[in-house]
Every structure is written in C-alpha cells, then in structure tokens.
Amino acid sequence: MRDPAHTRSWVLRPTIFLSLWTLVGLAFAGQFYLSSNLLGRSIPWSEAVGYALGDWYVWAVLSIAIVWFARRMSPESGVSWRTGAAHLAAAVVFSCAFAALRSLVAQAHGWLVGEPSGFAEVFRPLLVKTFPFNLLIYGVIVTVSHAIDYYRKYHARTVQALELEKHLTEARLQALLRQLKPHFLFNALNGIASLMYSDVAAADRMLVRLSELLRLAMAHSGAPTAPLRDEIAFLEKYLEIERIRFRDRLSVTFDVPPELLAAHVPSLLLQPIAENAVRHGMEPHARPGSIEILARRSGDELVLEVRDNGAGLPTGVERFDREGIGLSNTRARLAEIYGEAHRFALGRSPTGGLSVTIAVPLELTTGPAVPAVDRTTSASGRDRVILD
C-alpha cells in the first residue's frame, strides 16, 4: 500500500511547481498590460495574460530539463571551466529551444483564432528579440536550482550532525551508567563481606536486599532518564542494605510530594550521592546518622536535595578539592543531559552535615497516580513519602 505522505508529495509538488510559474506569468502579464497602456498601445487583459502565460509555461517545461542538467553539472561536479563552458553551451541551446517551442505555441494560437502563420515567420524575430533575455532566464533557473540543492544538502548535513551528536551523547551516558553500577555493587558486596563473620543473619538479609536491588537494576531500560518514582524505589532498596549494615543506626527520610514522582531525572542520580552521605557522613562517626532526601518544585525546576548530619564541609571550604566516582559521574551526566540548564551544589546542611542540591528542568510524564512507596503526612501537614 502506498504511503499517504508519498502520495501527498506527488500531488503537492506539481501543484507548487505550476503555481509558481503561473505567478511569474501573471506578474509579467501585469507588467506587459500596464506598459502597453502607458505607451498608447492598449491591449485587453486576457491577451496580456495569454501571451505571458504562453511564454512562462514554455519555460516551465524547459526548466525540468534545465534543472536535470544543472544537477549533473553542479559546481561540485568537476573542473570549474568545463562546468562553465557546458552551461554556456546549454544556455544557447535552451534559448533556441524556447524560441522554437514558443513559435509552435504561437502557430497553434494563430490557427485557433484564424490567423495562421509559418514557423520561420514567427521563429526568427522571436529568437532575435528574446535571445539575451533567454540566456538570463536560463541562468536564473540554474542559480535557483543550485540554491535549493545547497539548502537541501545543508539541511541533511545538519540533521545528520544532530543525529550523530545524539548517538554520541547516549553512548557517553551509557558509559557513565555502566561505570556507576559496578561501583555501588562493589561497595555493597564489601558491606556484606564485613558482616559475614560478625552477623550472619544480617549478612543474609543484605544478600536478599542486594538481589532485589540487582533485579531492579536489570529491569532498568538503560534509558538516560527515569521517573523519580523508580529512583526512589531503587534508593529505598539500597538504603535498606545500609540500614542492615549499620544495625538500624541509620535513619532515612524521604520528603517527596507525590505529584513529583512522575518527574524524569537521570537514572541512578540519587544513589551515589546517598552512598557518599553514608560513607563520609555516617561511617566516620559512632553516633546515629540521618539522611534526608527532599524534592520540591521551584518554578519550572525540580529541586532535589540530599542532606546528612555528618561532618559536612570543613570550615572555610566551599567544595572538596577531589571528588570520587559518584560525584564526578553525577556532574558529567547532568552536563550531558541538561547542559547549562542545571545546578549541582554542595553546601552545609541545616542538620550540621553536608547538603547536595540538584536542580534540573521539570519534565513530568504520565504514570501511575499512586506512588510505588508508602505515603504519610509530615508534621507540616504536607504529603510526603517516608522510609524510616
């Protein structure tokens, strides 16, 4: 079955082609009609239109062959002087061809109105009178043809460059994602190994949670972004492992408005940040630790924040000199996906530790109305999702 778009194209192109040449013919008919009246040789409008359209419809027919020839003798096709000589010869041929065809049309018109005339009688004066103008018309058609071809090639190259850039970006994001998954897996296995000889039951529970986490990771589509609800579900599984490792010394709170769970964020965006909060904010201290994951809408932005109550930034320091795989990977992926349209900042948390804030353009997608995690109400009366 023929593609409807292909059929429309076959109808649309001849219509546009004929309309353009008709407009040119009508424009010259108007000029011919006005100049004749100004010179005192007034002619009817119908005669002016018939004469002008007779000229330009002949050029319309010839333009098909001219464009075909122009595409084979483009400036890119070979030696420039050969191309120029070929076009000069073609201009002479097509100018004579115009005079011949136009003479046949004039003869046919003469027969129809009862004023027959011989071919040579019409051809010779017409060729002499229109020859320089015919050369000019040939040049205009060739120039327009080359301009359209250049535009098509430029457009095709632009589309191709955008496609290549898109594939390159996806490849870079996939590489960053592949780097991240072994990173957290390695750390989780280290945690299990450390519990294996001190608390077998806890190590067993960690293995179960890790298998659930790997199942989620394997079910991941590999897309650069995912709904926030999937990120929360993944982070919940990961933090359950950490809670087992720290024997419930770790307190985790999610404060995420349900309407933002459908927002798209980079895949595995929050896990490495939460992992850093555990490793650098929780592990060095014997006291209970807490991690808060917050989300809010700020205009057209989705703002995500991970806070801990660890040591935070040293006094007088606004950022770390060196960043590990988690933070550097997160920075790279945010830059790949959003360019300049994102913010990634480390600061001091109100609870005394480190606060990592990420702001990205808010992109909401359709999804389940009920979030995949439990919901309750915060002290402020606002809906929130709570793990702890």
Side-chain angles (χ1 to χ4, degrees):
M1 185 176 178
R2 180 167 289 184
D3 183 6
H6 183 74
T7 304
R8 283 196 301 273
S9 174
W10 273 98
V11 174
L12 193 60
R13 286 183 179 181
T15 303
I16 294 174
F17 176 79
L18 188 61
S19 299
L20 286 175
W21 283 108
T22 300
L23 285 173
V24 174
L26 291 175
F28 273 81
Q31 188 270 338
F32 181 39
Y33 176 78
L34 291 174
S35 61
S36 299
N37 281 292
L38 289 174
L39 293 173
R41 299 194 299 267
S42 61
I43 59 171
W45 170 247
S46 58
E47 184 178 339
V49 170
Y51 190 84
L53 289 182
D55 284 349
W56 291 105
Y57 281 162
V58 169
W59 274 119
V61 173
L62 290 175
S63 69
I64 297 171
I66 294 172
V67 169
W68 176 85
F69 182 75
R71 286 179 176 170
R72 277 148 187 80
M73 295 302 295
S74 69
E76 302 169 345
S77 62
V79 182
S80 58
W81 69 266
R82 288 182 182 172
T83 304
H87 277 298
L88 185 59
V92 174
V93 171
F94 278 105
S95 297
C96 295
F98 168 79
L101 287 177
R102 187 66 182 87
S103 299
L104 291 175
V105 172
Q107 274 190 296
H109 181 260
W111 290 332
L112 289 175
V113 298
E115 297 176 2
S117 55
F119 178 79
E121 184 184 351
V122 179
F123 176 76
R124 278 195 295 268
L126 183 64
L127 180 63
V128 171
K129 188 171 64 176
T130 63
F131 186 77
F133 186 68
N134 293 344
L135 296 178
L136 178 64
I137 296 301
Y138 174 87
V140 170
I141 293 173
V142 170
T143 303
V144 171
S145 172
H146 285 332
I148 292 173
D149 285 345
Y150 278 128
Y151 171 76
R152 284 176 175 168
K153 289 176 183 175
Y154 170 77
H155 181 69
R157 281 196 291 267
T158 302
V159 171
Q160 188 180 24
L162 290 174
E163 284 292 322
L164 286 174
E165 180 63 26
K166 177 185 172 187
H167 291 321
L168 185 61
T169 299
E170 288 176 351
R172 284 196 291 255
L173 288 171
Q174 287 296 329
L176 290 170
L177 207 54
R178 281 195 294 270
Q179 180 190 41
L180 207 53
K181 287 178 179 176
H183 181 251
F184 84 76
L185 180 61
F186 177 77
N187 289 334
L189 288 174
N190 268 348
I192 293 171
S194 66
L195 280 179
M196 188 62 71
Y197 298 102
S198 59
D199 190 341
V200 176
D204 182 65
R205 290 201 304 275
M206 281 185 70
L207 275 174
V208 172
R209 296 293 178 269
L210 182 59
S211 69
E212 294 172 350
L213 194 65
L214 291 176
R215 193 178 300 119
L216 283 177
M218 291 177 68
H220 187 269
S221 64
T225 62
L228 182 58
R229 71 166 57 82
D230 293 352
E231 288 299 300
I232 295 294
F234 190 87
L235 193 58
E236 185 183 25
K237 295 294 180 188
Y238 169 74
L239 289 171
E240 281 181 16
I241 292 174
E242 297 293 359
R243 291 181 69 205
I244 294 170
R245 186 158 73 96
F246 286 97
R247 293 180 173 83
D248 294 333
R249 188 161 60 85
L250 173 63
S251 168
V252 181
T253 302
F254 288 79
D255 189 349
V256 182
E259 65 272 16
L260 294 182
L261 291 172
H264 261 221
V265 296
S267 301
L268 293 183
L269 174 69
L270 298 175
Q271 187 275 334
I273 299 172
E275 183 178 328
N276 274 342
V278 172
R279 292 184 64 193
H280 303 293
M282 175 80 187
E283 281 185 351
H285 308 286
R287 57 185 169 82
S290 68
I291 295 177
E292 294 178 85
I293 292 92
L294 306 98
R296 68 178 187 277
R297 179 174 186 161
S298 177
D300 294 332
E301 286 187 331
L302 170 67
V303 180
L304 300 169
E305 189 175 359
V306 178
R307 298 175 181 170
D308 64 62
N309 65 341
L313 290 166
T315 304
V317 174
E318 296 302 323
R319 61 173 297 173
F320 298 109
D321 293 333
R322 292 183 58 190
E323 293 181 350
I325 291 176
L327 288 183
S328 60
N329 187 298
T330 302
R331 284 186 189 278
R333 290 194 298 141
L334 287 170
E336 284 287 347
I337 297 175
Y338 303 108
E340 297 292 328
H342 79 278
R343 284 183 287 118
F344 182 82
L346 279 65
R348 290 179 174 77
S349 166
T351 56
L354 185 69
S355 170
V356 179
T357 304
I358 299 171
V360 297
L362 180 61
E363 299 174 7
L364 292 171
T365 57
T366 56
V370 180
V373 288
D374 295 334
R375 294 165 55 187
T376 184
T377 303
S378 67
S380 62
R382 181 172 145 200
D383 283 347
R384 68 179 186 177
V385 182
I386 289 190
L387 175 67
D388 194 324

